[in-house]
Amino acid sequence: MSWQRAGTVNVQNGSTTVTGAGADFVASARSGDSFIGPDGFTYEVVNPASATSMSIFPAYKGASANNASYAIMPVQGYDKLLSDAFNALVNQFGAKLAALGTTGNYEILPIDKGGTGNITGTAQRLLASAMVGTTTQSGGTPTGAVMQRGSNANGEFVRFADGTQICWATTTATVAVNLGPASGLYYGTTPWTYPAQFASAPIPRCSASSGGVLTFEIPASTSTTSASMAIGAISAIASRSYTLSMFAIGRWF
């Protein structure tokens, strides 16, 4: 093992304190090592207190000296390389580990420091309680749950944090046919109010099953709004009952 000779030391006659310059005592010396002072005598390293200060035993016997050469001789009988490596870890992470210990409960640590307590972090968002709830936004930035599911008398809907919204409903309705005839057929419409309002007119679709024929949702802009759509019917009689399957997709913000 190599001896430590980096930097210089200041020693005072009769003092047990050695002050270093450019010599990292904490990294290179251990209690029990041998300190060879500027006077040529050997002393025991008692406590490497910091990078620039350590204690020796007995007190320094030689003449006081500043910026003097020295040497630290590793003592055989222990693995100094392993000890040095461990000491380097303590120097680098000791204060951080001590800070973690003061929390008392690792579950409250924020995610960016290895815990699970960050209420806005990814892990917290993946909890069921945060995944499904009320979706909210502020200035186009999601601030609530990842998704929201709901239903009312007008149907069902699912709303996502990215702004996507899907509404659907299946119902039986009688479409009043009160326009016509034209080419022997009568025409009529019935509205569907969405179970959740969109930010603007969505893309709607509708299909029906009955003895007659039902068209798709009327494509005119006046027939589709952010709140409802108009369903058109074609029939050869005055009115007919249809089973309607309605669907709309758009954005809620």
Side-chain angles (χ1 to χ4, degrees):
M1 299 178 189
S2 60
W3 292 19
Q4 166 67 17
R5 297 184 177 89
T8 60
V9 294
N10 299 339
V11 290
Q12 299 293 322
N13 179 262
S15 173
T16 59
T17 300
V18 177
T19 303
D24 191 346
F25 295 143
V26 170
S28 61
R30 302 290 176 273
S31 294
D33 283 350
S34 294
F35 172 73
I36 295 85
D39 59 357
F41 288 100
T42 300
Y43 302 84
E44 179 186 355
V45 175
V46 177
N47 176 29
S50 69
T52 59
S53 179
M54 69 177 181
S55 299
I56 60 174
F57 178 85
Y60 189 69
K61 300 176 181 179
S64 299
N66 292 326
N67 301 319
S69 299
Y70 75 100
I72 294 176
M73 180 180 68
V75 173
Q76 303 299 322
Y78 67 94
D79 191 336
K80 188 174 187 302
L81 293 178
L82 177 60
S83 181
D84 286 345
F86 178 78
N87 199 55
L89 288 174
V90 172
N91 290 337
Q92 183 175 359
F93 298 110
K96 296 178 181 178
L97 291 173
L100 290 177
T102 61
T103 64
N105 183 352
Y106 292 116
E107 294 302 315
I108 66 173
L109 288 175
I111 288 175
D112 58 0
K113 291 187 177 179
T116 60
N118 189 339
I119 62 173
T120 61
T122 302
Q124 188 70 13
R125 287 294 188 187
L126 292 177
L127 295 175
S129 58
M131 284 285 288
V132 181
T134 301
T135 54
T136 55
Q137 60 88 25
S138 176
T141 300
T143 56
V146 175
M147 65 183 72
Q148 177 180 348
R149 178 72 180 269
S151 63
N152 52 42
N154 296 324
E156 298 180 71
F157 71 92
V158 61
R159 178 175 285 182
F160 297 95
D162 71 341
T164 303
Q165 178 170 284
I166 303 171
C167 295
W168 67 95
T170 300
T171 186
T172 299
T174 299
V175 178
V177 179
N178 49 28
L179 299 175
S183 301
L185 296 176
Y186 291 83
Y187 298 84
T189 60
T190 189
W192 174 41
T193 300
Y194 310 124
Q197 186 161 328
F198 292 89
S200 59
I203 299 174
R205 292 291 184 271
C206 179
S207 62
S209 58
S210 182
V213 179
L214 182 71
T215 67
F216 282 107
E217 183 271 337
I218 299 174
S221 60
T222 56
S223 300
T224 303
T225 69
S226 61
S228 65
M229 63 181 266
I231 302 167
I234 302 175
S235 179
I237 58 177
S239 64
R240 184 177 294 277
S241 178
Y242 296 93
T243 298
L244 306 177
S245 295
M246 301 165 291
F247 173 88
I249 184 168
R251 295 189 60 84
W252 62 275
F253 76 86

